Amino acid sequence: MAEQARLLSENERQRELIRGLSMPVLPVSSETLVMPLVGELDEGRIALAQSTALQAIDQMHARHLVLDITGMPFVDTTVAGGLIRLVQAAYLLGARVTLVGVRPEVAQTMVALGIDLASVATAADLASALRREPITK
């Protein structure tokens, strides 16, 4: 029983490590971080993304976070709400967020769901975001 409990504990630690590695925050300059989001996001992964990004912004004193959602197959109201909360929290830490990688079907879904992203800067691609050329209204 003790061995089984130890193995289960080890397994859970490895899962947490893998979850953490699946949400890297990459410094690309002294003030800019890039966070690629890949795969489906549920409430747990959204919370992990928020926590990981905000800790990185705080620790690295970043002023710009680029969220790349190219690798996300879809965005629903839960995911969009989580992204908005991340943008708002980053703003409170003094960082602005630029969303990149919005595919046409994701854009259509977000509009159809009535998700208001007016406060979120977007860029056509990662290179544009890193040149700080967000699309503005």
Side-chain angles (χ1 to χ4, degrees):
M1 290 294 275
E3 179 63 17
Q4 185 178 15
R6 186 190 69 74
L7 290 173
L8 288 172
S9 175
E10 177 66 23
N11 188 324
E12 186 57 32
R13 278 196 305 273
Q14 290 173 351
R15 285 177 195 237
E16 287 298 317
L17 177 63
I18 290 169
R19 271 186 234 137
L21 292 174
S22 72
M23 302 247 176
V25 179
L26 312 167
V28 293
S29 75
S30 62
E31 294 187 344
T32 301
L33 305 172
V34 174
M35 182 176 202
L37 298 176
V38 179
E40 294 181 18
L41 294 183
D42 57 15
E43 287 186 26
R45 286 194 73 213
I46 290 169
L48 178 62
Q50 291 169 340
S51 173
T52 301
L54 296 174
Q55 286 177 10
I57 289 169
D58 184 52
Q59 291 172 353
M60 302 173 123
H61 308 290
R63 296 292 161 245
H64 186 210
L65 173 66
V66 179
L67 283 178
D68 186 349
I69 64 167
T70 305
M72 292 178 54
F74 69 92
V75 172
D76 60 12
T77 53
T78 301
V79 172
L83 293 176
I84 295 297
R85 287 188 300 279
L86 174 53
V87 169
Q88 292 169 337
Y91 178 77
L92 292 174
L93 294 177
R96 65 185 174 88
V97 177
T98 302
L99 186 65
V100 301
V102 179
R103 294 186 321 279
E105 60 274 12
V106 170
Q108 287 177 324
T109 299
M110 294 171 107
V111 170
L113 291 171
I115 297 165
D116 181 16
L117 295 174
S119 64
V120 180
T122 59
D125 53 35
L126 185 57
S128 296
L130 293 177
R131 284 192 308 265
R132 299 183 201 275
E133 297 174 2
I135 297 170
T136 57
K137 291 190 171 197

Coordinates of all heavy atoms in Angstrom, one line a residue, residues 56-111:
A56 N 5.2 35.0 -14.4 CA 6.3 35.4 -15.3 C 6.4 36.9 -15.5 O 7.4 37.5 -15.5 CB 6.1 34.7 -16.6
I57 N 5.2 37.6 -15.7 CA 5.2 39.0 -15.8 C 5.8 39.7 -14.6 O 6.6 40.6 -14.7 CB 3.7 39.5 -16.0 CG1 3.3 39.1 -17.4 CG2 3.7 41.0 -15.8 CD1 1.8 39.3 -17.7
D58 N 5.4 39.2 -13.4 CA 5.8 39.8 -12.1 C 7.4 39.5 -12.0 O 8.1 40.5 -11.6 CB 5.1 39.2 -11.0 CG 5.4 39.8 -9.7 OD1 5.4 41.1 -9.6 OD2 5.8 39.0 -8.7
Q59 N 7.8 38.3 -12.1 CA 9.2 37.9 -11.9 C 10.1 38.6 -12.9 O 11.2 39.0 -12.5 CB 9.4 36.4 -11.9 CG 8.7 35.7 -10.8 CD 8.7 34.2 -11.0 OE1 9.1 33.7 -12.0 NE2 8.3 33.5 -9.9
M60 N 9.7 38.8 -14.1 CA 10.6 39.3 -15.2 C 10.4 40.8 -15.4 O 11.0 41.4 -16.3 CB 10.4 38.5 -16.4 CG 10.7 37.0 -16.2 SD 10.4 36.1 -17.7 CE 12.0 35.3 -18.0
H61 N 9.4 41.4 -14.7 CA 9.1 42.8 -14.8 C 8.7 43.1 -16.3 O 9.1 44.2 -16.8 CB 10.2 43.7 -14.3 CG 10.7 43.4 -12.9 ND1 9.9 43.6 -11.8 CD2 11.8 42.7 -12.5 CE1 10.5 43.2 -10.8 NE2 11.6 42.7 -11.1
A62 N 8.0 42.2 -16.9 CA 7.7 42.4 -18.3 C 6.6 43.4 -18.5 O 5.8 43.7 -17.6 CB 7.1 41.0 -18.9
R63 N 6.6 44.1 -19.6 CA 5.6 45.1 -19.9 C 4.7 44.7 -21.1 O 3.8 45.4 -21.5 CB 6.3 46.4 -20.3 CG 7.1 47.0 -19.1 CD 6.1 47.4 -18.0 NE 6.8 47.6 -16.7 CZ 6.5 46.8 -15.7 NH1 5.6 45.9 -15.7 NH2 7.1 47.0 -14.5
H64 N 5.0 43.6 -21.7 CA 4.3 43.1 -22.9 C 4.2 41.6 -22.9 O 5.3 40.9 -22.8 CB 5.0 43.6 -24.2 CG 4.2 43.4 -25.4 ND1 4.8 43.2 -26.6 CD2 2.9 43.2 -25.7 CE1 3.9 43.0 -27.6 NE2 2.7 43.0 -27.0
L65 N 3.0 41.1 -23.0 CA 2.8 39.6 -23.1 C 2.1 39.3 -24.4 O 1.0 39.9 -24.7 CB 2.0 39.1 -21.9 CG 1.6 37.6 -22.0 CD1 2.8 36.7 -22.0 CD2 0.6 37.3 -20.9
V66 N 2.7 38.5 -25.2 CA 2.0 38.1 -26.5 C 1.4 36.7 -26.2 O 2.2 35.7 -25.9 CB 3.0 38.0 -27.6 CG1 2.4 37.6 -28.9 CG2 3.7 39.4 -27.8
L67 N 0.1 36.6 -26.4 CA -0.6 35.3 -26.3 C -0.8 34.8 -27.7 O -1.5 35.4 -28.4 CB -1.9 35.4 -25.5 CG -1.9 35.6 -24.0 CD1 -3.3 35.8 -23.5 CD2 -1.3 34.4 -23.4
D68 N -0.2 33.7 -28.0 CA -0.3 33.1 -29.3 C -1.3 31.9 -29.2 O -1.0 30.9 -28.6 CB 1.0 32.6 -29.8 CG 1.0 32.1 -31.3 OD1 -0.1 32.0 -31.8 OD2 2.1 31.9 -31.8
I69 N -2.5 32.1 -29.8 CA -3.5 31.0 -29.8 C -3.6 30.2 -31.1 O -4.6 29.5 -31.3 CB -4.9 31.6 -29.4 CG1 -5.4 32.5 -30.4 CG2 -4.8 32.2 -28.0 CD1 -6.9 32.8 -30.2
T70 N -2.5 30.3 -31.9 CA -2.5 29.6 -33.2 C -2.8 28.1 -33.0 O -3.5 27.5 -33.8 CB -1.2 29.7 -33.9 OG1 -0.9 31.1 -34.0 CG2 -1.1 29.1 -35.2
G71 N -2.3 27.5 -31.9 CA -2.4 26.1 -31.7 C -3.7 25.7 -30.9 O -3.8 24.5 -30.5
M72 N -4.6 26.6 -30.7 CA -5.9 26.2 -30.1 C -6.9 25.9 -31.1 O -7.2 26.7 -32.0 CB -6.4 27.4 -29.2 CG -5.5 27.6 -28.0 SD -6.0 29.1 -27.0 CE -7.7 28.6 -26.7
P73 N -7.6 24.7 -31.0 CA -8.5 24.3 -32.0 C -9.8 25.1 -32.0 O -10.5 25.2 -33.0 CB -8.8 22.8 -31.7 CG -8.4 22.7 -30.2 CD -7.3 23.7 -30.0
F74 N -10.2 25.6 -30.8 CA -11.5 26.3 -30.7 C -11.4 27.2 -29.5 O -10.6 27.0 -28.6 CB -12.7 25.4 -30.7 CG -12.8 24.7 -29.4 CD1 -13.5 25.1 -28.3 CD2 -12.2 23.4 -29.3 CE1 -13.6 24.4 -27.1 CE2 -12.3 22.7 -28.1 CZ -13.0 23.2 -27.0
V75 N -12.3 28.2 -29.5 CA -12.4 29.1 -28.3 C -13.9 29.1 -28.0 O -14.7 29.4 -28.9 CB -11.9 30.5 -28.6 CG1 -12.2 31.5 -27.5 CG2 -10.4 30.5 -28.9
D76 N -14.3 28.8 -26.8 CA -15.6 29.0 -26.3 C -15.7 30.1 -25.3 O -14.8 30.8 -25.0 CB -16.2 27.6 -25.8 CG -15.4 27.1 -24.6 OD1 -14.6 27.8 -24.0 OD2 -15.6 25.9 -24.2
T77 N -16.9 30.2 -24.7 CA -17.1 31.3 -23.7 C -16.2 31.2 -22.5 O -15.7 32.2 -22.0 CB -18.5 31.4 -23.3 OG1 -19.0 30.2 -22.8 CG2 -19.4 31.9 -24.4
T78 N -15.9 29.9 -22.1 CA -15.1 29.7 -20.9 C -13.6 30.1 -21.2 O -13.0 30.8 -20.4 CB -15.1 28.2 -20.5 OG1 -16.4 27.8 -20.2 CG2 -14.2 27.9 -19.4
V79 N -13.1 29.7 -22.4 CA -11.8 30.1 -22.8 C -11.7 31.6 -23.0 O -10.7 32.2 -22.5 CB -11.4 29.3 -24.1 CG1 -10.0 29.8 -24.6 CG2 -11.3 27.8 -23.8
A80 N -12.6 32.2 -23.7 CA -12.6 33.6 -24.0 C -12.6 34.4 -22.6 O -11.9 35.4 -22.5 CB -13.7 34.0 -24.9
G81 N -13.5 34.0 -21.7 CA -13.6 34.6 -20.4 C -12.2 34.6 -19.7 O -11.8 35.5 -19.1
G82 N -11.6 33.4 -19.8 CA -10.3 33.2 -19.1 C -9.2 34.1 -19.8 O -8.4 34.7 -19.0
L83 N -9.3 34.3 -21.1 CA -8.3 35.1 -21.7 C -8.5 36.6 -21.3 O -7.6 37.3 -21.1 CB -8.4 35.0 -23.3 CG -8.0 33.6 -23.8 CD1 -8.3 33.6 -25.3 CD2 -6.5 33.3 -23.5
I84 N -9.8 37.0 -21.3 CA -10.1 38.4 -20.8 C -9.6 38.6 -19.4 O -9.0 39.7 -19.1 CB -11.6 38.7 -20.9 CG1 -12.1 38.6 -22.4 CG2 -12.0 40.0 -20.3 CD1 -11.5 39.6 -23.3
R85 N -9.8 37.7 -18.5 CA -9.4 37.8 -17.2 C -7.8 37.9 -17.1 O -7.3 38.7 -16.3 CB -9.9 36.7 -16.3 CG -11.4 36.8 -16.0 CD -11.8 35.8 -14.9 NE -11.6 34.4 -15.3 CZ -12.4 33.7 -16.1 NH1 -13.5 34.3 -16.6 NH2 -12.2 32.5 -16.4
L86 N -7.2 37.2 -17.9 CA -5.7 37.2 -18.0 C -5.3 38.6 -18.5 O -4.3 39.2 -17.9 CB -5.1 36.1 -18.9 CG -3.6 36.2 -19.2 CD1 -2.8 36.2 -17.9 CD2 -3.3 35.0 -20.0
V87 N -5.9 39.1 -19.5 CA -5.6 40.5 -20.0 C -5.8 41.5 -18.9 O -4.9 42.4 -18.7 CB -6.5 40.8 -21.3 CG1 -6.3 42.3 -21.7 CG2 -6.1 39.9 -22.4
Q88 N -6.9 41.5 -18.2 CA -7.2 42.4 -17.2 C -6.1 42.3 -16.0 O -5.7 43.4 -15.5 CB -8.6 42.2 -16.6 CG -9.6 42.6 -17.7 CD -11.0 42.1 -17.3 OE1 -11.2 41.2 -16.5 NE2 -12.0 42.8 -17.9
A89 N -5.8 41.1 -15.6 CA -4.9 41.0 -14.5 C -3.5 41.4 -14.9 O -2.7 42.1 -14.2 CB -4.8 39.5 -14.1
A90 N -3.1 41.1 -16.2 CA -1.8 41.6 -16.7 C -1.7 43.1 -16.7 O -0.7 43.7 -16.3 CB -1.5 41.0 -18.1
Y91 N -2.8 43.7 -17.1 CA -2.9 45.2 -17.1 C -2.7 45.8 -15.7 O -2.0 46.7 -15.5 CB -4.2 45.7 -17.6 CG -4.4 47.1 -17.6 CD1 -3.8 48.0 -18.6 CD2 -5.2 47.7 -16.6 CE1 -4.0 49.3 -18.5 CE2 -5.4 49.1 -16.6 CZ -4.8 49.9 -17.5 OH -4.9 51.3 -17.5
L92 N -3.2 45.1 -14.7 CA -3.1 45.5 -13.3 C -1.6 45.4 -12.8 O -1.2 46.1 -11.9 CB -4.0 44.7 -12.3 CG -5.5 45.0 -12.5 CD1 -6.3 44.1 -11.6 CD2 -5.8 46.5 -12.2
L93 N -0.9 44.5 -13.5 CA 0.6 44.3 -13.2 C 1.4 45.3 -14.0 O 2.7 45.2 -13.9 CB 1.0 42.9 -13.4 CG 0.4 41.9 -12.4 CD1 0.9 40.5 -12.8 CD2 0.8 42.2 -11.0
G94 N 0.8 46.1 -14.9 CA 1.6 47.0 -15.7 C 2.0 46.5 -17.1 O 2.9 47.1 -17.7
A95 N 1.4 45.4 -17.5 CA 1.8 44.8 -18.8 C 0.6 44.9 -19.7 O -0.6 44.8 -19.3 CB 2.2 43.4 -18.6
R96 N 0.8 45.0 -21.0 CA -0.2 45.0 -22.0 C -0.1 43.6 -22.7 O 1.0 43.0 -22.8 CB -0.1 46.1 -23.0 CG 1.1 46.1 -23.8 CD 1.1 47.4 -24.7 NE 2.3 47.5 -25.4 CZ 2.5 46.9 -26.6 NH1 1.6 46.3 -27.2 NH2 3.7 47.1 -27.2
V97 N -1.2 43.1 -23.2 CA -1.3 41.8 -23.8 C -1.7 42.0 -25.2 O -2.6 42.8 -25.5 CB -2.3 40.9 -23.1 CG1 -2.5 39.6 -23.8 CG2 -1.9 40.7 -21.6
T98 N -1.1 41.3 -26.1 CA -1.5 41.2 -27.5 C -1.8 39.8 -27.9 O -1.0 38.9 -27.6 CB -0.3 41.7 -28.5 OG1 0.0 43.1 -28.1 CG2 -0.7 41.7 -29.9
L99 N -3.0 39.6 -28.5 CA -3.5 38.3 -28.9 C -3.1 38.1 -30.3 O -3.4 38.9 -31.2 CB -5.0 38.2 -28.7 CG -5.7 36.9 -28.9 CD1 -5.2 35.9 -27.9 CD2 -7.2 37.1 -28.8
V100 N -2.5 37.0 -30.6 CA -2.1 36.6 -32.0 C -2.6 35.2 -32.3 O -2.8 34.4 -31.5 CB -0.6 36.8 -32.3 CG1 -0.1 38.2 -32.0 CG2 0.2 35.8 -31.6
G101 N -2.7 34.9 -33.6 CA -3.0 33.6 -34.1 C -4.5 33.3 -34.1 O -4.9 32.1 -34.1
V102 N -5.3 34.3 -34.2 CA -6.7 34.1 -34.3 C -7.1 33.6 -35.7 O -6.9 34.4 -36.6 CB -7.5 35.4 -33.9 CG1 -9.0 35.1 -34.0 CG2 -7.2 35.8 -32.5
R103 N -7.5 32.4 -35.8 CA -7.9 31.9 -37.1 C -9.3 32.3 -37.5 O -10.1 32.7 -36.6 CB -7.8 30.3 -37.1 CG -6.3 29.8 -36.9 CD -6.2 28.3 -37.1 NE -7.3 27.6 -36.5 CZ -7.4 27.3 -35.2 NH1 -6.5 27.7 -34.3 NH2 -8.4 26.6 -34.7
P104 N -9.6 32.3 -38.7 CA -11.0 32.8 -39.2 C -12.1 32.1 -38.4 O -13.1 32.7 -38.0 CB -11.0 32.4 -40.7 CG -9.6 32.5 -41.1 CD -8.8 31.9 -39.9
E105 N -12.0 30.8 -38.2 CA -13.1 30.1 -37.6 C -13.2 30.4 -36.1 O -14.3 30.5 -35.5 CB -13.0 28.5 -37.7 CG -11.8 27.9 -37.2 CD -10.6 27.9 -38.2 OE1 -10.6 28.6 -39.2 OE2 -9.6 27.2 -37.9
V106 N -12.1 30.7 -35.5 CA -12.1 31.1 -34.1 C -12.7 32.5 -34.0 O -13.5 32.8 -33.1 CB -10.6 31.1 -33.5 CG1 -10.6 31.8 -32.1 CG2 -10.2 29.6 -33.4
A107 N -12.3 33.4 -34.9 CA -12.8 34.8 -34.9 C -14.4 34.7 -35.1 O -15.1 35.4 -34.4 CB -12.2 35.6 -36.1
Q108 N -14.8 33.9 -36.0 CA -16.3 33.8 -36.2 C -17.0 33.3 -35.0 O -18.1 33.8 -34.6 CB -16.6 32.8 -37.4 CG -16.2 33.4 -38.7 CD -16.5 32.4 -39.9 OE1 -16.2 31.2 -39.7 NE2 -16.9 33.0 -41.0
T109 N -16.4 32.3 -34.3 CA -17.0 31.8 -33.1 C -17.1 32.8 -32.0 O -18.1 33.0 -31.3 CB -16.2 30.5 -32.6 OG1 -16.2 29.5 -33.6 CG2 -16.8 30.0 -31.3
M110 N -16.0 33.6 -31.8 CA -15.9 34.6 -30.8 C -17.0 35.7 -31.1 O -17.7 36.1 -30.2 CB -14.5 35.2 -30.7 CG -13.5 34.2 -30.2 SD -11.9 34.9 -30.3 CE -11.5 35.2 -28.6
V111 N -17.2 36.1 -32.3 CA -18.2 37.1 -32.7 C -19.6 36.5 -32.5 O -20.4 37.2 -31.9 CB -18.0 37.6 -34.1 CG1 -19.1 38.4 -34.6 CG2 -16.7 38.4 -34.3

